[in-house]
Amino acid sequence: MVLISTSDTIWSTSGVLHHAMLAADIVGFGRHDPAIHSYLHTALYRIITESLAEIGVSLDACHREDRGDAVLVIAPADISVEPLLGRWPHHLRAALRHHNQISAATAQLRLRIAVNAGYVRYDGHGVGGRAVLHLFRLLDTAAFKTALDDHRADLGLITSNYLHQEIIRDGPGLIDPAAFTAITVDSKETHGLAWLCLPAPAFGAGPTPLTPSIVCAQSPVPPPRLPAGREARGRRPHRQ
């Protein structure tokens, strides 16, 4: 069942407008005890609401559709997608970490987030359009799920190649292009590049997968070489 909540003010009567959008999904929702599903569902909305408020976006002013273990949010047309790729992920992770710090082990949350932008059509029952469809293809792609599990991260964000070319690549504001890694999306009829951002794993969560930048950073520094004929201080000469 899809529950819809919308603000009439975000839809134009003069034509279809371009909107920023996001989808958030609880990882492994079905593996949680059904007794706490309502608690996790409420926590998801609280985390999204609080983190969006930190960048000046009210969830009540957005169109949203509930997907049980996920939520779709369409921002008003005058809200830029740039803060969703720059400042918002930092506030989102802070709210998520706070939830996990105060919650029992059985109620820990891990989230997959997809961000896109494009033209959206609303027909009174829900939203549609290529951008919305692509958003959920990104969210559900197997490569995203595998990367999140391999990294053992509590949060992962994926975005479209379109937004990488238009917004991320030039690194405006707080967006760091180096934080995004290209992955291949192969989901139903969607094939192509997407861009993935994973935060560093929590303390004790295991090693970070090696990327070229990490390999370079972790390359061992060779010890200084001693001049010929000298021995390391403290080493006793070998006696015949």
Side-chain angles (χ1 to χ4, degrees):
M1 180 176 64
V2 177
L3 300 179
I4 299 173
S5 177
T6 188
S7 170
D8 293 337
T9 60
I10 79 168
W11 307 117
S12 170
T13 58
S14 59
V16 179
L17 297 180
H18 196 274
H19 294 263
M21 64 190 72
L22 66 94
D25 179 76
I26 299 174
V27 177
F29 186 75
R31 295 193 296 270
H32 286 279
D33 186 336
I36 64 168
H37 280 180
S38 178
Y39 175 79
L40 297 177
H41 185 261
T42 300
L44 172 64
Y45 273 86
R46 183 179 65 253
I47 289 168
I48 297 297
T49 300
E50 292 176 355
S51 58
L52 286 177
E54 291 288 344
I55 63 169
V57 177
S58 169
L59 187 61
D60 289 338
C62 301
H63 171 87
R64 59 191 184 275
E65 296 180 9
D66 187 83
R67 305 296 174 95
D69 60 348
V71 59
L72 166 67
V73 178
I74 309 292
D78 61 348
I79 298 294
S80 171
V81 72
E82 183 180 327
L84 292 180
L85 297 168
R87 292 185 293 133
W88 181 58
H90 300 283
H91 295 294
L92 177 66
R93 193 180 187 210
L96 176 61
R97 291 181 66 184
H98 176 71
H99 165 84
N100 286 337
Q101 286 170 352
I102 65 173
S103 299
T106 55
Q108 299 291 295
L109 275 178
R110 297 172 66 224
L111 298 179
R112 289 198 316 274
I113 306 293
V115 174
N116 198 18
Y119 291 98
V120 180
R121 297 182 181 276
Y122 176 68
D123 62 6
H125 303 285
V127 295
R130 290 186 179 91
V132 176
L133 180 63
H134 191 59
L135 179 76
F136 279 97
R137 293 291 185 263
L138 295 176
L139 187 69
D140 293 334
T141 186
F144 185 15
K145 297 176 182 179
T146 299
L148 191 65
D149 288 341
D150 288 348
H151 197 77
R152 300 181 66 182
D154 56 2
L155 176 66
L157 184 147
I158 191 170
T159 191
S160 61
N161 192 48
Y162 161 65
L163 286 186
H164 184 268
Q165 292 177 339
E166 295 294 329
I167 304 293
I168 298 170
R169 186 169 55 186
D170 295 331
L174 295 178
I175 298 176
D176 179 10
F180 291 83
T181 302
I183 65 170
T184 300
V185 175
D186 189 3
S187 178
K188 297 184 179 180
E189 73 280 1
T190 301
H191 309 279
L193 283 182
W195 293 84
L196 182 62
C197 180
L198 294 174
F203 178 78
T208 303
L210 295 180
T211 63
S213 60
I214 294 175
V215 171
C216 293
Q218 294 180 346
S219 298
V221 179
R225 300 181 61 181
L226 296 174
R230 290 185 58 185
E231 296 179 286
R233 180 173 298 177
R235 181 183 301 170
R236 294 184 179 181
H238 177 69
R239 294 178 182 270
Q240 297 293 334

